[in-house]
Amino acid sequence: MPIAVTCQCGRRFRAKDSDAGKRGKCPACGAYFRIPQQAPELVASASGSVYGSIKPKYCLTVAKGPEKLQEYFRLRRSRITTVGKASDNAVVLPSPKVSRHHCQISWSPKGWLLEDLKSTNGTYVNGQKIDSHAILHGDERIKLGDFELIFEVPEKRAVEPAHLDEKLQALQSGDPQSSQEAVEFLAGHGSQAAEHLVPRLSGFDTVSGHLALEVLEKLGSDAVSALVRALKDKDKLTRSSAARTLGRLGPKAASAVPELLQALDDQDPTVYAEVAWALGQIGAAAVPGLLKALGSSQRVRQISAAWTLGRIGPEAADAVPGLSELASHHDKEISRVAAAALKKINPTQINA
């Protein structure tokens, strides 16, 4: 029996019964959705919300409210989901107890972030009113006026490496929807996806290597543990690529600072150059460890630390005494790098 489908743009069409559960696309507005097992009145919207019997991976479930709404609202890491009674919200809750723009949910380096938008009646998570924001981990009950929503995330079950390869290949398909779904899938499997992707970094000059780097950046802090282990890999390309990726993560990789400081002793010049660059990108969190490296008796370690502190700039002001001492060092290379770092950290004082 054909499934009658009506898109939010108003276009009506029919899908084959055998296509239930498969991905569909509105021929009018181009919105993607899953064809439901049963024929709901509305199944897709241009904003990406999914209606019907196929539950999205990240979603808000309407647990209770004063009137009937669609059961699920889809969330994407790539966009901010606003909630309120105004019609321009992604999730519209028509109630006088809900503010026009009540709250919003977005993806952040720390996870899913719920922010109250100075609502009149406040936003509650598991019965507690939030001051301004809260990090959501899954299964939280969010109360907005007389509506209660449940925040749901997919279970991070182990998946086969072949399936991860399949998703990595999907990034090369050229189809924006397939690419976005692949990124969300890999990001949803956090550390497991990172363990699978890090070995590909040794082929950084290949398409696969570039894609692995792109996804690891999106994984953020979930990728740090796998990248830290790669700093000790036998292959120098893997070590240098891991250091560069940690640098691309910037402050998100602050927990990797101790291991990066150890990697400054790497015997390969390409590797320790990448390590120094990564520490510079991480910034202030690396300064205390770099100060210790500055006082090291190892020439390469001193030069790398001085160069990195210079990259960090004014945030490395605590290094001025140590750098000033090295600026008059008998080793011309050490003194040159130290003087250059001082100029970047405090150019006014140097010029004076």
Side-chain angles (χ1 to χ4, degrees), residues 62-113:
V62 180
K64 62 180 181 181
E67 59 181 87
K68 179 69 174 177
L69 296 177
Q70 63 264 25
E71 190 175 356
Y72 308 118
F73 291 91
R74 183 177 186 176
L75 304 176
R76 286 187 183 275
R77 291 182 181 226
S78 58
R79 71 159 184 255
I80 296 174
T81 300
T82 57
V83 184
K85 66 182 178 184
S87 60
D88 60 346
N89 289 288
V91 179
V92 180
L93 303 179
S95 168
K97 296 182 180 180
V98 176
S99 297
R100 287 182 57 79
H101 299 95
H102 199 107
C103 65
Q104 67 181 32
I105 299 176
S106 59
W107 178 254
S108 75
K110 295 183 179 179
W112 288 98
L113 178 67

Side-chain angles (χ1 to χ4, degrees), residues 84-141:
K85 66 182 178 184
S87 60
D88 60 346
N89 289 288
V91 179
V92 180
L93 303 179
S95 168
K97 296 182 180 180
V98 176
S99 297
R100 287 182 57 79
H101 299 95
H102 199 107
C103 65
Q104 67 181 32
I105 299 176
S106 59
W107 178 254
S108 75
K110 295 183 179 179
W112 288 98
L113 178 67
L114 170 66
E115 299 174 88
D116 183 82
L117 301 176
K118 298 182 179 179
S119 62
T120 301
N121 295 318
T123 301
Y124 293 78
V125 176
N126 293 334
Q128 300 294 319
K129 185 177 181 180
I130 66 174
D131 294 328
S132 60
H133 66 276
I135 299 296
L136 303 176
H137 302 286
D139 296 326
E140 287 89 354
R141 289 184 170 268

Side-chain angles (χ1 to χ4, degrees), residues 7 24-33 44-48:
C7 181
K25 180 180 180 180
C26 174
C29 69
Y32 287 92
F33 55 90
S45 72
S47 64

